[in-house]
Amino acid sequence: MLTAGEVAALIAATGWIVLVCVLTMVLIKLARLLTETARAVSDLTSRMTPLLDDMGVTVSETNRQLVAVEAIARDVKQVSGHAAKLSAVTQTVFTGPLIKVSSIGYGVRRAIEARKQPRGRRRP
């Protein structure tokens, strides 16, 4: 028969064996996880390099297009400035004489109306 101390030692030894087996399984799964993670990182790295190269080309092309758009915007600003100056010149050239012709027309019309009305009924 086994004594109480031997039974306790046997139970402790069995517990340690179970604990070691569980820890071994956990470590094996952890090793698999680390291997898969390393493989995923390696795959991601191999895919990232072309993506970063493409992104660099895209940024360069975008900068080139922005330079072109800036030049176009500068030209549009210059054209709008010329259009504003042309509008001012056109207004000066046409409105002054047009106002004078309109005034002369009004004066002639008033004079004609004044001649047609009898002398006693003239408007002020």
Side-chain angles (χ1 to χ4, degrees):
M1 244 325 169
L2 296 173
T3 64
E6 291 173 339
V7 171
L10 186 61
I11 291 173
T14 306
W16 277 107
I17 290 173
V18 170
L19 181 65
V20 167
C21 288
V22 169
L23 287 176
T24 303
M25 290 175 55
V26 168
L27 287 175
I28 289 172
K29 288 187 178 191
L30 184 61
R32 287 181 187 161
L33 177 66
L34 289 175
T35 304
E36 288 295 322
T37 304
R39 191 176 306 145
V41 167
S42 174
D43 187 40
L44 182 64
T45 302
S46 67
R47 289 182 185 179
M48 271 314 244
T49 303
L51 286 175
L52 290 175
D53 291 341
D54 289 345
M55 190 169 56
V57 169
T58 302
V59 168
S60 297
E61 182 65 21
T62 302
N63 284 338
R64 191 180 67 77
Q65 292 294 330
L66 284 174
V67 168
V69 167
E70 184 180 337
I72 291 169
R74 195 175 331 114
D75 291 342
V76 166
K77 182 179 177 183
Q78 188 179 27
V79 166
S80 67
H82 290 310
K85 288 178 185 175
L86 181 64
S87 174
V89 168
T90 304
Q91 182 180 7
T92 303
V93 167
F94 287 114
T95 55
L98 188 62
I99 290 172
K100 289 178 184 175
V101 168
S102 176
S103 321
I104 291 172
Y106 179 75
V108 168
R109 190 176 69 219
R110 289 282 302 216
I112 290 173
E113 287 177 1
R115 286 208 178 258
K116 287 184 180 178
Q117 290 182 357
R119 292 188 185 251
R121 299 176 91 192
R122 286 195 184 167
R123 289 194 306 194

